[in-house]
Amino acid sequence: YQRRVRGYLETHHAIELANSLFKPSGWSTEVCSHGVDFVRRSSSGRWCVGYYCVVRITLADGTFHEDCGYGHSENMPSDYQAFEVASKTAVSDGVKRALRILGEALGNSLYDKAYIGDVRVGKHRDREMITQVDKQVTGSLINALSQGK
């Protein structure tokens, strides 16, 4: 059995990274569409909900990217709690998925096993090509990934 290294970027870290790259006023998010995938109530009265959305990230120069997000909740005591958890999870997922297209530092690199290995040990391929902002963002990514160990 071989353990896989997977990176996970929490939403608040993704937002911090986007703020450091684009400045807080240099980007925005918008939920373009959303809806319910399923709602189930168990015989014991517990709720499960699946929720989806499309999120758009727009940069100050008008560049934008849209991506989908999905969230679900299971075994929740009330319908409103199930919807709250599922919808918030869907939006968080959509924001992270849309941001990752805007740069390696914003999460796309989390799909690259070699990059994750480099970040975990504190090195980066093509170090000479990293700009000052990239150095700050890579440092933030190292911190985010080290908290997930």
Side-chain angles (χ1 to χ4, degrees):
Y1 173 73
Q2 184 178 7
R3 185 173 166 218
R4 291 186 189 193
V5 175
R6 291 191 184 188
Y8 179 77
L9 185 61
E10 293 184 21
T11 305
H12 70 277
H13 288 300
I15 291 169
E16 288 173 9
L17 293 170
N19 284 339
S20 71
L21 281 174
F22 308 120
K23 306 295 181 225
S25 61
W27 68 287
S28 63
T29 61
E30 174 186 357
V31 176
C32 300
S33 63
H34 59 91
V36 176
D37 182 26
F38 70 88
V39 177
R40 292 191 196 111
R41 187 172 186 196
S42 68
S43 58
S44 63
R46 306 293 278 191
W47 292 86
C48 298
V49 171
Y51 206 84
Y52 63 89
C53 69
V54 174
V55 174
R56 175 183 286 188
I57 302 293
T58 305
L59 302 182
D61 69 359
T63 303
F64 70 91
H65 180 71
E66 294 178 358
D67 213 325
C68 61
Y70 192 83
H72 72 280
S73 58
E74 296 180 14
N75 202 27
M76 301 301 288
S78 65
D79 58 348
Y80 71 87
Q81 288 173 317
F83 277 99
E84 179 181 25
V85 169
S87 62
K88 286 181 177 181
T89 303
V91 172
S92 293
D93 185 51
V95 166
K96 290 187 293 187
R97 289 178 55 85
L99 280 172
R100 75 181 175 83
I101 299 302
L102 299 174
E104 294 301 304
L106 288 167
N108 199 43
S109 56
L110 296 179
Y111 294 93
D112 182 345
K113 292 177 188 176
Y115 184 89
I116 291 172
D118 288 349
V119 169
R120 285 195 187 272
V121 298
K123 66 178 184 174
H124 186 282
R125 297 173 298 175
D126 305 323
R127 185 174 285 284
E128 62 278 354
M129 295 178 65
I130 301 174
T131 65
Q132 188 62 33
V133 171
D134 288 336
K135 287 180 183 177
Q136 292 171 351
V137 170
T138 301
S140 297
L141 187 57
I142 289 168
N143 290 337
L145 288 172
S146 65
Q147 291 175 5
K149 281 187 177 179

